[in-house]
């Protein structure tokens, strides 16, 4: 029998922590909680968790500081849980190495679906050793080396977040073919039909363009196909 995946809930609001813990247990997970950032970081680094749910506004260390601390030493998937629904927070979280974010108030079924999707993705990557075994892909001056997890433009290494890298790899692997935001959520983020937030794709595309394109307003690589979606050419 497979052991249960353990979820670390870092949340200072006791009611929310209890609600999450109760529902996650009912959905078949083990849970553990930490009530402040310091305790959360310490626990997250023990290596016993399949995933971390990380609140942003926390005593002692805020969620961003906790995330940076985790990323220095661990690849455990992290979902940021934020009460502040503005894009800066989302982008900051994703840039600092968060795998996903959820905005309060959230629905429990969405939280559970996202947790499952992120755990599944991280397992796939472990099993497949960074998921792709293929060789270097390139489109003109743009290249990506899946073995070393490096993307370059004109021989300059691009500093991409994990999701930016995954998106770029997927589009380059399928160069010339446009994908809708929903398809990208499914194929790159691993979400099912009902948990999609297509804005996530737009935010990531916009970040990627800033790093990739000489002029993000006039892309040379990552194009928008109007009414369809995005593609690399
Ligand atoms: Ca809080």
């Amino acid at each position: 029998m497979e052991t249960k995946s353990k979820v670390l809930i870092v949340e200072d609001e006791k009611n929310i922590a209890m609600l999450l813990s109760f529902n996650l247990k009912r959905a078949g997970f083990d849970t553990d909680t930490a009530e402040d950032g310091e305790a959360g970081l310490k626990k997250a680094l023990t290596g016993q968790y399949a995933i971390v749910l990380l609140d942003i506004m926390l005593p002692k260390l805020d969620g961003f500081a906790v995330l940076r601390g985790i990323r220095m030493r661990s690849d455990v998937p992290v979902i940021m849980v934020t009460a502040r629904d503005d894009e800066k927070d989302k982008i900051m979280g994703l840039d600092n190495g968060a795998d996903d974010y959820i905005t309060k108030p959230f629905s429990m079924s969405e939280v559970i679906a996202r947790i499952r999707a992120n755990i599944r993705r991280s397992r796939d990557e472990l099993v497949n050793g960074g998921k792709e075994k293929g060789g270097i892909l390139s489109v003109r001056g743009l290249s990506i080396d899946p073995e070393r997890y490096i993307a370059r433009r004109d021989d300059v290494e691009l500093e991409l977040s994990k999701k930016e890298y995954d998106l770029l790899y997927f589009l380059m692997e399928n160069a010339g073919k446009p994908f809708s935001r929903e398809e990208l959520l499914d194929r790159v983020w691993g979400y099912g039909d009902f948990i999609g937030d297509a804005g996530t794709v737009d935010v990531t595309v916009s970040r990627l363009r800033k790093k990739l394109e000489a002029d993000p307003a006039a892309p040379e690589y990552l194009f928008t196909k109007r009414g369809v979606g995005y593609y690399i050419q």
Side-chain angles (χ1 to χ4, degrees):
M1 210 180 95
E2 200 184 345
T3 53
K4 291 180 179 178
S5 297
K6 198 165 184 180
V7 181
L8 175 62
I9 302 162
V10 188
E11 170 65 76
D12 59 318
E13 285 167 70
K14 285 205 175 77
N15 288 341
I16 296 181
M18 277 170 56
L19 184 74
L20 281 167
S21 183
F22 174 79
N23 282 283
L24 290 176
K25 280 180 178 154
R26 231 174 42 166
F29 295 97
D30 268 342
T31 64
D32 195 2
T33 54
E35 290 179 13
D36 65 63
E38 267 177 28
L41 177 57
K42 204 178 271 178
K43 284 191 171 177
L45 292 175
T46 59
Q48 59 175 309
Y49 303 102
I51 194 159
V52 178
L53 282 185
L54 179 58
D55 187 28
I56 291 181
M57 304 291 272
L58 288 167
K60 296 191 184 172
L61 272 182
D62 74 13
F64 293 122
V66 174
L67 177 61
R68 280 193 297 275
I70 292 175
R71 279 293 168 266
M72 280 182 211
R73 287 170 53 190
S74 166
D75 288 329
V76 64
V78 175
I79 300 181
M80 305 293 283
V81 181
T82 171
R84 296 184 285 173
D85 186 20
D86 73 67
E87 237 162 48
K88 222 173 81 193
D89 281 347
K90 294 175 189 172
I91 291 165
M92 239 179 109
L94 295 170
D95 260 8
N96 286 337
D99 296 271
D100 204 352
Y101 61 85
I102 293 170
T103 307
K104 292 177 189 170
F106 45 74
S107 80
M108 210 43 75
S109 58
E110 178 180 7
V111 173
I112 289 167
R114 298 253 186 134
I115 286 173
R116 290 209 170 108
N118 279 283
I119 291 177
R120 193 173 57 233
R121 279 184 49 79
S122 93
R123 282 201 184 135
D124 287 351
E125 287 175 12
L126 275 179
V127 169
N128 299 329
K131 96 179 169 167
E132 282 87 16
K133 28 19 317 261
I136 294 174
L137 298 175
S138 62
V139 173
R140 286 172 280 126
L142 188 62
S143 70
I144 197 161
D145 179 351
E147 295 223 321
R148 299 171 59 205
Y149 234 68
I150 289 176
R152 288 197 176 85
R153 193 205 144 141
D154 300 330
D155 292 327
V156 178
E157 188 173 335
L158 303 172
E159 289 196 14
L160 303 181
S161 72
K162 190 169 170 311
K163 276 297 178 297
E164 290 160 1
Y165 175 93
D166 289 345
L167 177 63
L168 180 63
Y169 187 92
F170 179 78
L171 291 174
M172 285 181 72
E173 204 182 14
N174 298 282
K177 183 174 175 346
F179 292 90
S180 71
R181 300 185 299 173
E182 291 72 22
E183 283 173 316
L184 292 171
L185 272 183
D186 183 26
R187 306 281 296 272
V188 178
W189 275 258
Y191 296 166
D193 295 337
F194 64 103
I195 51 168
D197 172 5
T200 307
V201 176
D202 298 331
V203 168
T204 309
V205 164
S206 144
R207 299 289 311 179
L208 188 52
R209 275 189 177 138
K210 281 187 190 137
K211 296 175 179 180
L212 199 63
E213 306 284 359
D215 176 5
E220 298 166 65
Y221 295 102
L222 209 180
F223 296 95
T224 303
K225 179 107 177 162
R226 203 175 305 173
V228 182
Y230 298 109
Y231 65 107
I232 290 263
Q233 186 78 285

